[in-house]
Amino acid sequence: MIAFIIISFLLLPNKADAQCALKNSVITPGEELEYTLYFFWGIIWKEAGTATFTTEKANYNNKEALKMNLLVSSSKEADKLFKMRDTITSYVSNNLEPLYFRKAAEEGNRFTIDEARYNYKNDKSFIRQTRTWKDGRIEEFQDESYNCIYDMLSVLSKARSMDTAQFSKGDRFNIEMATGKTVEKLILEYRGVEKVKTNDMKSYKCMVFTLLKEDKNNKLKDFISFYITNDERKLIVKLKFELNFGSAQVTLKKIKNI
């Protein structure tokens, strides 16, 4: 009953949610993690490239901020089947409020640049998104919400800052997320703690979160899963996400500057 009350309170569209401010006790500048990229080919996971995640001090609109970068690159061999060159950047305030997002993605024959700019006023979140296509065409979309609006990197910051001590496996939270052309209403599901073996020859106990979205048949399906160490560092050791052709994941290979 107590857990239910706490979770219900977290979902209320109160001022803290609308302004997105969270207590940041784990995300620090200087983080650098290297990953191995895998694609799911039919029935097996096959090594397909590399990825790097970094966090650094930054300045956004003359205010101190944190800048997160995720670079994903498929190998020349994997390019023959599916080329992937993603450069994803997210700026958040020191209180983890989303400020700016950019994703330059070359996936297969498609190339797009998605950008999102956030503003906050009168307990509401405002977002302006643009999508630039390969031919130079630009589309623009605007949304607003009494809840916080995240992107695919700032939502990781939220998950890393969450205290799961009161959570039970299967607990769900409403999440609004920018996806390039719209703000989608997703569900963040906590799937408990799982031991994950990584490519640095270690095993980590990880908190597992999965973002769920509705498919064309209005059924919930996994969209992005992230595995975060269940310790004071709360490092991201694995990400699993769905692509147009199937699934991909990045698994930790090396921790640097932690």
Side-chain angles (χ1 to χ4, degrees):
M1 182 64 180
I2 294 176
F4 175 78
I5 294 172
I6 292 173
I7 292 169
S8 298
F9 176 77
L10 288 172
L11 293 179
L12 289 175
N14 57 28
K15 182 175 181 179
D17 283 338
Q19 301 297 351
C20 308
L22 297 170
K23 182 179 179 180
N24 176 24
S25 59
V26 297
I27 302 171
T28 58
E31 292 179 344
E32 184 175 351
L33 298 96
E34 296 179 0
Y35 303 86
T36 303
L37 171 67
Y38 294 90
F39 288 156
F40 188 68
W41 300 125
I43 59 173
I44 62 170
W45 287 97
K46 184 174 177 61
E47 186 172 336
T50 60
T52 304
F53 178 82
T54 59
T55 304
E56 60 189 85
K57 285 184 178 180
N59 184 288
Y60 185 81
N61 285 344
N62 298 317
K63 293 183 179 180
E64 289 186 358
L66 294 170
K67 178 184 178 183
M68 295 174 288
N69 275 310
L70 177 62
L71 309 178
V72 184
S73 178
S74 56
S75 64
K76 290 184 178 180
E77 181 181 359
D79 284 349
K80 298 175 184 178
L81 297 174
F82 186 83
K83 186 176 183 179
M84 188 174 185
R85 300 286 189 278
D86 285 4
T87 301
I88 307 168
T89 301
S90 182
Y91 285 82
V92 297
S93 72
N94 289 334
N95 291 323
L96 306 183
E97 298 164 299
L99 302 173
Y100 172 78
F101 173 78
R102 185 180 190 273
K103 178 183 178 182
E106 183 178 4
E107 298 176 356
N109 296 320
R110 171 180 166 174
F111 178 79
T112 55
I113 297 176
D114 290 341
E115 293 181 274
R117 293 171 174 83
Y118 302 87
N119 285 291
Y120 305 96
K121 185 179 180 181
N122 298 329
D123 297 341
K124 295 183 73 174
S125 301
F126 297 85
I127 185 171
R128 180 168 66 87
Q129 297 188 76
T130 58
R131 170 167 287 181
T132 303
W133 294 88
K134 190 174 183 178
D135 60 6
R137 179 167 47 93
I138 299 175
E139 296 179 288
E140 183 173 319
F141 313 89
Q142 297 190 54
D143 285 280
E144 59 186 70
S145 176
Y146 280 106
N147 297 308
C148 190
I149 302 172
Y150 294 95
D151 50 67
M152 66 182 300
L153 286 189
S154 60
V155 75
L156 290 175
S157 299
K158 177 177 176 62
R160 293 177 68 186
S161 68
M162 296 174 79
D163 181 3
T164 61
Q166 300 293 335
F167 294 178
S168 297
K169 188 175 180 179
D171 284 347
R172 291 181 170 184
F173 307 87
N174 296 322
I175 291 286
E176 295 185 25
M177 196 167 95
T179 56
K181 297 181 68 174
T182 186
V183 172
E184 293 195 38
K185 296 185 184 300
L186 307 179
I187 291 174
L188 179 65
E189 181 175 85
Y190 175 63
R191 294 187 171 175
V193 177
E194 178 181 325
K195 183 175 284 189
V196 177
K197 187 175 181 180
T198 59
N199 292 343
D200 61 354
M201 306 305 293
K202 296 180 181 179
S203 293
Y204 299 88
K205 285 187 177 180
C206 294
M207 302 174 292
V208 183
F209 293 90
T210 298
L211 280 170
L212 305 171
K213 65 182 297 185
E214 289 188 351
D215 61 16
K216 295 180 180 179
N217 298 316
N218 297 320
K219 293 184 178 181
L220 289 174
K221 61 180 293 186
D222 291 3
F223 179 44
I224 304 174
S225 294
F226 26 99
Y227 299 72
I228 300 169
T229 57
N230 190 24
D231 56 24
E232 68 280 357
R233 298 182 299 176
K234 294 190 177 180
L235 300 177
I236 304 162
V237 300
K238 186 166 80 170
L239 293 171
K240 184 178 178 182
F241 43 95
E242 300 304 315
L243 299 171
N244 291 333
F245 77 93
S247 301
Q249 72 177 31
V250 296
T251 302
L252 182 65
K253 179 180 179 181
K254 187 176 182 181
I255 299 175
K256 300 173 66 176
N257 301 326
I258 300 294

